Amino acid sequence: MRLGLLADVHGNLPALEAVLALLDREAVDAYVCAGDLVGYGAFPNECVATVTALGATVVAGNHELMAIGRLPSEGMIPVVRESTAWTARALDEPTAATLAGLPPSAEGPGGVVVTHGSFDSPEAYVRDAIAARAVLARCAELYSEARVVVLGHTHEAFAWSGGRGELLRGRAGTVTLEAAERALVNPGAVGQSRDDRVLARAAVLDLGDATVRFHEVEYDVDGYRRALRERGLPYSAYHAPPRGGSRATRVARRVVRRARERLAR
Ligand SMILES: [Fe+2]
């Protein structure tokens, strides 16, 4: 069985359609989505309907919860506050009801479990060794049979193995899973890239040969920018610059983080 892994669609329908075309070519059998179908983006109802029609296993992200008033957005940055208020107005009744029914975590096919940030908070960022280990330990408590945890929220492609540590970060590529260890997989964001380039990301988990292939795909960014502007959304909502300024600064931070993680082992 092959699972299409999605996260952080953020109402970006052109990016979602590009990713689904790719996953169709990859002949996936079922879909798992780690939340944030809405927020930032111009097509929240359409994205929820599209993912629902796939029969995907979906959980609630923090943007779903903000849009339906279950999480406050007042303390967030302006683009989040503005787009959350816009999304709350734009949601039609059936879509709002769908979002209200999404669980915080769920079991998908083949020993896969999915949540948005961590099992304990949709706002937790799992991007380092300490957080990854904590999620896998919590998984063992909550879903003892699960072998793969699918996350979103950071918008960064990431694979972490309980035994071997970091397998992949922030790029396309293929990793191999081992039966004896749990793994954590974040496919990266479909609809709001935080890379240097604007890309839509998704992954394919092949349960047969125990691999995860991370994909990146281009989409009609110019057309989507126009849609954001026409609908009165923040113009820059489709892309956020990578954390930490210049590429050199980010590389330096990554080196320091890995050194710290080695010391923490
Ligand atoms: Fe997100």
Side-chain angles (χ1 to χ4, degrees):
M1 176 177 249
R2 289 161 68 78
L3 298 181
L5 309 183
L6 309 170
D8 298 284
V9 175
H10 283 299
N12 186 337
L13 190 62
L16 178 61
E17 289 175 341
V19 155
L20 292 182
L22 182 147
L23 294 179
D24 192 45
R25 292 194 296 277
E26 288 284 315
V28 304
D29 303 293
Y31 297 83
V32 170
C33 178
D36 275 5
L37 289 166
V38 305
Y40 295 120
F43 302 101
N45 296 308
E46 294 87 341
C47 287
V48 173
T50 301
V51 173
T52 301
L54 297 172
T57 303
V58 189
V59 295
N62 57 313
H63 279 262
E64 273 79 54
L65 299 175
M66 288 191 292
I68 61 172
R70 288 189 189 166
L71 259 185
S73 61
E74 287 76 23
M76 308 300 264
I77 57 175
V79 66
V80 173
R81 291 201 308 271
E82 287 173 37
S83 69
T84 298
W86 184 95
T87 303
R89 291 192 301 274
L91 288 179
D92 61 35
E93 225 168 88
T95 305
T98 298
L99 298 187
L102 294 177
S105 64
E107 289 180 276
V112 171
V113 65
V114 57
T115 190
H116 183 64
S118 75
F119 290 108
D120 297 306
S121 170
E123 298 179 291
Y125 289 95
V126 177
R127 53 166 67 111
D128 62 23
I130 293 165
R133 286 198 194 104
V135 165
L136 293 182
R138 196 82 173 104
C139 178
E141 294 170 6
L142 297 171
Y143 298 95
S144 60
E145 300 297 310
R147 307 314 305 168
V148 178
V149 182
V150 179
L151 299 177
H153 193 53
T154 65
H155 295 210
E156 182 179 49
F158 183 52
W160 176 274
S161 134
R164 292 167 291 155
E166 184 173 313
L167 305 176
L168 179 144
R169 183 187 292 271
R171 60 176 175 82
T174 302
V175 301
T176 302
L177 307 179
E178 291 183 1
E181 59 189 28
R182 280 197 180 83
L184 186 156
V185 175
N186 186 327
V190 173
Q192 198 216 43
S193 61
R194 294 179 187 173
D195 301 295
D196 293 303
R197 292 162 59 209
V198 180
L199 296 163
R201 294 188 180 274
V204 177
L205 167 58
D206 190 320
L207 296 167
D209 66 7
T211 59
V212 185
R213 187 160 183 203
F214 290 80
H215 293 274
E216 56 190 31
V217 62
E218 295 183 344
Y219 65 96
D220 178 11
V221 176
D222 289 341
Y224 187 55
R225 278 199 206 105
R226 283 195 296 277
L228 287 168
R229 197 162 38 213
E230 283 164 14
R231 293 183 175 220
L233 275 154
Y235 177 72
S236 59
Y238 66 100
H239 181 245
R243 289 181 306 131
S246 72
R247 189 175 175 79
T249 305
R250 294 196 303 281
V251 169
R253 283 190 180 156
R254 195 178 310 144
V255 169
V256 170
R257 186 182 64 233
R258 284 185 178 155
R260 278 202 188 122
E261 288 172 359
R262 273 197 296 276
L263 288 171
R265 275 177 199 157

